[in-house]
Amino acid sequence: MNKTGYFTHPDCRKHEMGPGHPESPERLSAIDDRLLICGVADALDRREATAAALADVELAHGRNYVATLRGLTATLREEISAGGPSHVQLDPDTSMNIHTWDAALHAAGAALAATDAVIAGELENAFCAVRPPGHHACRDQAMGFCFLNNVAIAAKYALERHGLKRVAIVDFDVHHGNGTENIVAGDERILMVSFYQHPFYPVGGAQSDAANLVNVPVPAYTRGMEVRELIEMYWLPRLEEHRPEMIFISAGFDAHREDDMGQMGLVEQDYAWITMRIKDMARRFAQGRIVSCLEGGYDLSALGRSVEAHLRVLADL
Ligand SMILES: [Zn+2]
């Protein structure tokens, strides 16, 4: 029986933000193709995500914000039938088409279904191959290609709906997870650890010095060995101290050396090493429970290889 779940949904490929946009549907195809070619797909329990319930989305987002996003789809549909543009722009690099809302609900829904299955013991851990990504989405604001904060919603859901007492969020995307920080800062039940290129998008870096956040900004051109040392120095002691009952990963692969979106120097082996450290922690404190959600990663080849490395560790291959 395969103990690592792979959650995705066809709607996640229908969301697109215009020609040439790096956060493209091809990202999910690149991951799927790579996992098929290398054989890792055979070792995964592939499941189709359901849409998240609005009440669960609202564990991390304001009701008005959720209603506004939902309403924009209807507005867009009317405008398109009147000959208007096919996208509504929310910030300079974030826009919605008529499929975006359904894709966002299924991306969050994948994280929730994965959380249910892992807590029920059906799976030890799971990866959600979803888009739009989530970690820049704030409680009341879409930005940076993100609409709903999949990982923050799932972390809150594990606490509120499953009664867990402590969880952790690990964010290894090259960008700072400002949205997650906005949602979880000050919630002592959630420990968030991250590294990110700084100075970089989003401008300003960390906005909060809340005690439950371990932010490790690193300069451009930082390589994997340095990142590993920082993780051992800053992340692991705090994770040990927190004793999370479940670990969520904001799995962005844009710190890869070949990814032009950022200027960091990680390679596949670094993602495997980081995943191994997270897995050790999960096995010690959390019965192995990990739910990992795709965030960034824009060089299609490097993305496919990095997700393969991540999943080989999660699935013990
Ligand atoms: Zn990123």
Side-chain angles (χ1 to χ4, degrees), residues 135-136 173-175 252 254 261 295-298:
H135 77 152
H136 295 305
D173 191 278
V174 78
H175 302 96
D254 41 8
M261 187 69 84
E295 299 283 1
Y298 304 97

Side-chain angles (χ1 to χ4, degrees), residues 62-138:
R63 183 163 291 185
N64 288 342
Y65 169 69
V66 173
T68 301
L69 279 188
R70 192 177 175 208
L72 280 172
T73 305
T75 310
L76 190 58
R77 210 168 248 128
E78 286 168 22
E79 285 179 1
I80 291 170
S81 59
S86 56
H87 292 78
V88 53
Q89 205 72 30
L90 300 187
D91 86 1
D93 48 29
T94 309
S95 64
M96 294 176 75
N97 71 357
I98 52 166
H99 302 291
T100 301
W101 177 242
D102 285 335
L105 283 181
H106 283 93
L112 298 183
T115 300
D116 287 337
V118 166
I119 291 179
E122 294 166 32
L123 301 168
E124 182 180 7
N125 53 45
F127 179 72
C128 301
V130 293
R131 51 184 294 281
H135 77 152
H136 295 305
C138 298

Side-chain angles (χ1 to χ4, degrees), residues 12-13 15-18 20-28 93-95 100 103 130-134 144-147 261 294-298 300 303:
C12 292
R13 291 179 201 221
H15 158 64
E16 52 78 28
M17 298 188 280
H21 197 294
E23 206 290 276
S24 68
E26 287 72 31
R27 299 176 61 233
L28 295 184
D93 48 29
T94 309
S95 64
T100 301
V130 293
R131 51 184 294 281
F145 316 163
C146 302
F147 303 86
M261 187 69 84
L294 181 66
E295 299 283 1
Y298 304 97
L300 298 182
L303 174 63

Side-chain angles (χ1 to χ4, degrees), residues 176-178 181 196-208 215 217:
H176 179 234
N178 63 303
E181 172 174 301
Y196 49 87
Q197 185 178 326
H198 182 76
F200 199 39
Y201 182 91
V203 178
Q207 301 292 318
S208 167
N215 285 316

